[in-house]
Amino acid sequence: MGDPLGIGPEIIVKTLADPAIRRSARFLVFGLHGCLLDAAERAGVEPFWRKVPAHSALAESGASHDILVLDDDRFADAAHLARQGEARPSREGGAASFQFVEDAIASTRRKPGDPLRADAIVTAPISKEAWALAGRSKYPGHTELLATRFQSKRVAMMFDSPTLRVVLATIHVPLMDLQGLLTIGRVFDPIDLGNDALRRLGVERPRIAVCGLNPHAGEGGLFGDEEQRLIEPAIRLAQEAGIDARGPFPADTVFNRAVRGEFDLVVAMYHDQGLIPVKLLAWDSAVNVTLGLPVVRTSPDHGTAFDIARQNKADAGSLSRAVELAVRMSAISDAD
């Protein structure tokens, strides 16, 4: 559900209200039932799911239902804040949303054939500030938590949209820390993981553009040498591995080239370098995919939107695409 005080409940209700999406898979919703009921009432949607208490024997008995809501009564304080109309980062919302992710991860580790086993995780937005308030600041976001729990040594965030695909070399880090974090391996990994992901999605030979870090991609070393020391060697490694990777290109022009069809994927060096063009061009359709995990994980590319929570104003387009892509990628994984 993500943070129950944000728009997560609303976009889940609106997404799963689509009959075509409901027919595509079976769904387990980890969250607070009262928040879903409230969102459904505001949206004029008749509840279409079955609710059972989470962590109870009843959960397995209800798992045959197409949409099963696992209602977690351990977070009554968060449910109370939601009923009071609170919409802000909070310790209560942070603790609840963190546990929902933990429970989703646990569901993917159940044995094949278990009625509560999940093949993919789709996460609604969380508040990183709320996680910190709940004492979970060790994990800046979903990606870091998932990488830790699945013991994945290499992960990357890829943003998929009909207009543009972008994968990030670094994720949730301060800009001032990039100098100590960016390495040849850190640039090579998203190239390699992104190439593999696109091939699995049907792109036979992905064409990958790699951004420079500095203005004008360093201008031959005049504006920084990271391109020569780190990025160019990573591109050469990728090319030696048979990957069609090119660059480094100035970030202020390469995204236009990708949108025009010259590249299938752009590797950005840091969060905003890659996310600004994605959110500008595909605000309501981009999907975040975590590469490098043993399970499929997707999410919408927006945040909790506390400012419009509980107002029936949220657009569920990105979450709907996240669900559709998770179903598609799960089918590919099963075929493998």
Side-chain angles (χ1 to χ4, degrees):
M1 175 175 283
D3 196 303
L5 306 186
I7 62 171
E10 179 183 336
I11 59 176
I12 288 172
V13 166
K14 290 178 175 179
T15 293
L16 296 183
D18 182 338
I21 289 179
R22 291 217 300 272
R23 287 193 299 268
S24 70
R26 289 180 51 249
F27 297 91
L28 304 173
V29 181
F30 296 93
L32 302 178
H33 183 242
C35 293
L36 290 175
L37 283 178
D38 178 72
E41 182 178 356
R42 292 173 186 276
V45 173
E46 191 72 23
F48 46 78
W49 56 84
R50 179 172 179 181
K51 184 264 287 191
V52 296
H55 311 292
S56 76
L58 292 174
E60 285 198 25
S61 67
S64 60
H65 199 279
D66 286 345
I67 301 176
L68 187 68
V69 174
L70 296 148
D71 183 37
D72 202 326
D73 60 5
R74 294 174 298 177
F75 299 103
D77 49 358
H80 175 73
L81 287 179
R83 285 194 300 271
Q84 296 301 310
E86 294 286 349
R88 57 178 172 79
S90 66
R91 178 186 60 80
E92 295 84 355
S97 58
F98 189 89
Q99 188 59 50
F100 301 156
V101 183
E102 292 276 40
D103 290 344
I105 292 170
S107 74
T108 68
R109 290 175 165 159
R110 289 176 173 263
K111 295 179 180 179
D114 188 313
L116 293 178
R117 183 178 185 272
D119 299 304
I121 299 173
V122 181
T123 56
I126 57 99
S127 163
K128 297 170 180 60
E129 183 181 349
W131 275 20
L133 291 170
R136 303 297 187 177
S137 57
K138 176 181 177 182
Y139 304 102
H142 283 117
T143 304
E144 293 83 358
L145 174 60
L146 289 159
T148 300
R149 294 293 184 261
F150 286 113
Q151 298 182 324
S152 298
K153 294 181 180 179
R154 299 195 310 160
V155 295
M157 288 173 65
M158 182 177 79
F159 293 83
D160 179 274
S161 80
T163 310
L164 180 68
R165 290 190 184 104
V166 175
V167 63
L168 304 180
T170 60
I171 308 175
H172 300 116
V173 297
L175 278 177
M176 297 298 287
D177 292 348
L178 280 178
Q179 187 174 15
L181 287 173
L182 210 58
T183 63
I184 294 172
R186 199 102 183 215
V187 177
F188 171 79
D189 284 348
I191 300 172
D192 186 37
L193 292 170
N195 179 72
D196 182 64
L198 264 62
R199 291 186 64 188
R200 293 171 68 86
L201 287 171
V203 181
E204 187 173 339
R205 183 166 171 77
R207 300 161 300 167
I208 300 175
V210 183
C211 290
L213 174 68
N214 299 296
H216 302 266
E219 195 76 54
L222 292 175
F223 303 144
D225 65 353
E226 285 81 6
E227 285 75 16
Q228 296 158 313
R229 288 190 303 107
L230 307 174
I231 301 175
E232 290 177 8
I235 294 172
R236 286 196 295 271
L237 281 176
Q239 292 169 343
E240 290 167 5
I243 299 172
D244 184 4
R246 310 172 212 172
F249 297 111
D252 59 356
T253 58
V254 72
F255 293 101
N256 276 330
R257 295 172 65 181
V259 170
R260 290 198 302 266
E262 189 173 342
F263 301 109
D264 302 298
L265 178 70
V266 178
V267 178
M269 293 300 105
Y270 57 92
H271 186 277
D272 284 12
Q273 185 185 62
L275 268 291
I276 288 173
V278 168
K279 293 191 177 185
L280 178 66
L281 296 170
W283 172 255
D284 60 349
S285 61
V287 175
N288 175 14
V289 184
T290 305
L291 307 181
L293 299 176
V295 301
V296 173
R297 179 262 170 162
T298 67
S299 75
D301 77 334
H302 56 73
T304 51
F306 290 123
D307 58 321
I308 61 169
R310 294 172 57 84
Q311 298 176 41
N312 195 35
K313 293 181 178 179
D315 187 327
S318 184
L319 182 65
S320 295
R321 277 206 75 243
V323 170
E324 292 165 351
L325 186 59
V327 171
R328 180 183 170 198
M329 293 181 73
S330 295
I332 294 169
S333 298
D334 289 344
D336 291 344

